[in-house]
Amino acid sequence: MTQAAFITAYQSELTARYPWASDAEKLARFMGSVVGTLTGGATWNHDGEAVTAAWRAIGGKGKPTLKALRALV
């Protein structure tokens, strides 16, 4: 499991679930917030169905914690 794999899976989940994610600018801005949070900031809320689905898609068990997401390399 890697952060890159999680980010790819999460972006796919967002695109499949939410109409706003089809707007490339909005998605890029949002994903920038996700990456910023995973690398030490705190602007993205990691609770949600798409986060859990992406976590499980890369082999994670249960619901992901911010600590577990940040620990991915």
Side-chain angles (χ1 to χ4, degrees), residues 1-42:
M1 296 189 317
T2 65
Q3 277 189 3
F6 171 76
I7 289 168
T8 299
Y10 186 47
Q11 191 164 331
S12 294
E13 286 292 330
L14 292 173
T15 303
R17 291 170 184 257
Y18 305 111
W20 65 262
S22 64
D23 182 319
E25 280 185 41
K26 287 180 182 178
L27 184 59
R29 189 171 44 249
F30 183 80
M31 293 308 295
S33 178
V34 171
V35 171
T37 300
L38 293 178
T39 58

Side-chain angles (χ1 to χ4, degrees), residues 18-73:
Y18 305 111
W20 65 262
S22 64
D23 182 319
E25 280 185 41
K26 287 180 182 178
L27 184 59
R29 189 171 44 249
F30 183 80
M31 293 308 295
S33 178
V34 171
V35 171
T37 300
L38 293 178
T39 58
T43 60
W44 167 66
N45 182 353
H46 69 282
D47 290 329
E49 293 177 12
V51 176
T52 301
W55 173 251
R56 290 182 182 160
I58 65 166
K61 304 289 183 213
K63 193 173 178 184
T65 64
L66 190 53
K67 182 178 180 178
L69 291 169
R70 285 181 173 162
L72 297 172
V73 234

